[in-house]
Amino acid sequence: MLSLIIQLIAGVIGGNSAGAALKQYSLGPIGNSIVDLLGGIGGGQLLGALIPALGTAAASAAGAGGGMDIGAMAGQLVGGGVSGAVVTLIVGLIKQKMSGTTAQSPR
């Protein structure tokens, strides 16, 4: 459960950061946050499946009643944040293509 919360928070932070940095792909604060929540969960779960050490460390720490492994927590943060940013950019690109506008490079 803790890893899921970490993925959600990291996804929102990563996606909103990407939206702020690349305004032409931003969906607005609420749109970015909704997309980022989904991206954070999906990316964190995918990362846990691809790198079993992250998933098993989090599960064993929770089952043992102890604290969560710092390495697993860092992996969940990175996975959720990066995937939140990537999903925001992908959805922003799709939104642009559907609206018929092109991205302007910042000056």
Side-chain angles (χ1 to χ4, degrees):
M1 185 68 179
L2 180 60
S3 63
L4 184 64
I5 294 169
I6 291 170
Q7 293 165 7
L8 288 170
I9 293 170
V12 169
I13 291 170
N16 279 313
S17 298
L22 302 167
K23 298 223 182 274
Q24 67 267 26
Y25 302 118
S26 180
L27 305 170
I30 294 174
N32 284 343
S33 296
I34 292 169
V35 169
D36 304 340
L37 286 171
L38 299 174
I41 292 172
Q45 294 298 317
L46 181 64
L47 187 64
L50 293 175
I51 304 173
L54 293 177
T56 57
S60 65
M68 187 173 186
D69 179 27
I70 297 296
M73 188 180 298
Q76 297 295 332
L77 281 170
V78 170
V82 169
S83 61
V86 169
V87 170
T88 297
L89 292 176
I90 290 170
V91 172
L93 282 168
I94 292 169
K95 178 186 151 203
Q96 266 188 356
K97 294 295 180 186
M98 291 180 71
S99 69
T101 60
T102 60
Q104 299 285 328
S105 61
R107 296 179 194 211

